[in-house]
């Protein structure tokens, strides 16, 4: 009997030991290591690209204006005769402006200006009274010389307009391409002393050669403004390099 109890007690102890061991294994046998907290990832800094350099807009092309900033205009009543435009090519002239008083260079001394390569403009003047200005501009590709005075005919008149001999320049006016020469016209006597007064409608302009015999080339024919009055005192100056010289 006693032996039987001992066996039961031993079996119970063994069972308890087994259960205790199982409980220890279930608990993991110690403290669980949760590990170190993860450090937040360090963001890689980004570099902003530099702004594109702005491109400057091209400057506007200049426009054609006169010295006062306004558009160039022709005087009221101005008429002109224009020669055919020259063939395209390089222009070696000195640009717009008055001609040069020169004795002539070897390539221009014997070449008079003529109507085939010039523009002739007639402009009535308000001051002095009864005056007008003739402007001849070299539209060709080579220089020419404005010899002596223009040879003028009013309407179908046979006689040429008289020349003011006191206006003779010291030297011939040579025109490079784009340059101009000037001759003033006195249309009628301011005091009414002239005779054979009439209203003229057209003006024919011839150019003199170097020897002043005959004419160089063909003429330029201009229609005069309505009411252009001329008389026996009508005359013209020699070609000059400036308007001031032509009117002095």
């Amino acid at each position: 009997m006693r032996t039987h109890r001992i066996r039961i007690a031993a079996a119970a102890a063994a069972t308890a030991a087994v259960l205790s061991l199982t409980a220890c294994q279930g608990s993991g046998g110690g403290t669980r290591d949760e590990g170190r907290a993860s450090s937040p990832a360090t963001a890689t800094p980004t570099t902003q690209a530099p702004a594109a350099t702005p491109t400057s807009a091209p400057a506007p092309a200049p426009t054609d204006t006169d010295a006062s900033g306004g558009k160039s205009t022709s005087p009221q009543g101005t008429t002109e005769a224009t020669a055919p435009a020259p063939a395209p090519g390089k222009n070696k002239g000195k640009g717009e402006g008055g001609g040069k008083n020169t004795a002539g260079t070897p390539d221009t001394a014997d070449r008079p200006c003529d109507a085939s390569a010039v523009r002739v403009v007639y402009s009535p003047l308000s001051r002095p009274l009864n005056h007008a200005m003739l402007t001849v501009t070299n539209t060709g590709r080579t220089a020419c010389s404005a010899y002596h005075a223009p040879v003028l005919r009013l309407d179908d008149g046979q006689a040429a307009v008289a020349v003011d001999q006191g206006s003779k320049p010291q030297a011939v006016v040579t025109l490079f391409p784009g340059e101009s020469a000037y001759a003033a016209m006195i249309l009628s006597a301011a005091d009414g002393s002239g005779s054979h007064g009439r209203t003229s409608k057209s003006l024919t302009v011839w150019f003199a050669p170097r020897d002043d015999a005959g004419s160089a080339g063909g003429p330029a024919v201009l229609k005069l403004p309505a009411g252009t009055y001329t008389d026996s005192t009508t005359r013209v100056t020699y070609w000059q390099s400036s308007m001031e010289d032509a009117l002095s």
Side-chain angles (χ1 to χ4, degrees):
M1 186 69 175
R2 183 179 178 182
T3 304
H4 180 70
R5 288 178 179 175
I6 292 172
R7 288 180 178 175
I8 292 173
T15 301
V18 170
L19 291 176
S20 176
L21 179 61
T22 302
C24 288
Q25 290 177 347
S27 65
T31 303
R32 185 174 58 185
D33 186 0
E34 295 294 338
R36 293 183 180 179
S38 299
S39 300
T42 303
T44 303
T46 57
T47 305
Q48 183 177 0
T53 303
T55 303
S56 300
T63 57
D64 252 344
T65 58
D66 59 18
S68 63
K71 292 184 178 179
S72 300
T73 57
S74 299
Q76 185 175 6
T78 296
T79 59
E80 66 177 270
T82 306
K90 292 183 178 179
N91 189 332
K92 297 182 180 179
K94 298 182 179 179
E96 293 286 346
K100 309 300 180 185
N101 283 329
T102 66
T105 54
D107 62 335
T108 63
D110 294 325
R111 184 178 182 277
C113 297
D114 64 76
S116 66
V118 298
R119 180 175 69 250
V120 183
V121 178
Y122 171 96
S123 305
L125 303 177
S126 58
R127 291 288 184 276
L129 291 174
N130 304 335
H131 279 62
M133 184 68 65
L134 284 176
T135 304
V136 57
T137 303
N138 185 352
T139 58
R141 297 169 59 185
T142 58
C144 67
S145 292
Y147 289 112
H148 309 291
V151 181
L152 305 181
R153 295 285 196 283
L154 289 167
D155 297 325
D156 54 358
Q158 297 300 311
V161 171
V163 176
D164 180 358
Q165 296 298 328
S167 65
K168 187 174 182 178
Q170 294 182 349
V172 174
V173 181
T174 297
L175 303 180
F176 289 89
E179 293 184 335
S180 300
Y182 309 88
M185 285 187 68
I186 297 87
L187 301 175
S188 60
D191 58 4
S193 61
S195 59
H196 307 293
R198 66 173 186 170
T199 299
S200 297
K201 298 180 179 179
S202 67
L203 180 67
T204 303
V205 183
W206 298 80
F207 294 88
R210 185 179 186 184
D211 60 5
D212 201 18
S215 61
V221 180
L222 297 88
K223 183 179 179 180
L224 295 176
T228 300
Y229 183 80
T230 60
D231 63 18
S232 60
T233 65
T234 302
R235 60 192 184 276
V236 67
T237 68
Y238 279 73
W239 290 116
Q240 309 288 341
S241 59
S242 70
M243 290 186 181
E244 291 76 11
D245 289 342
L247 291 171
S248 63

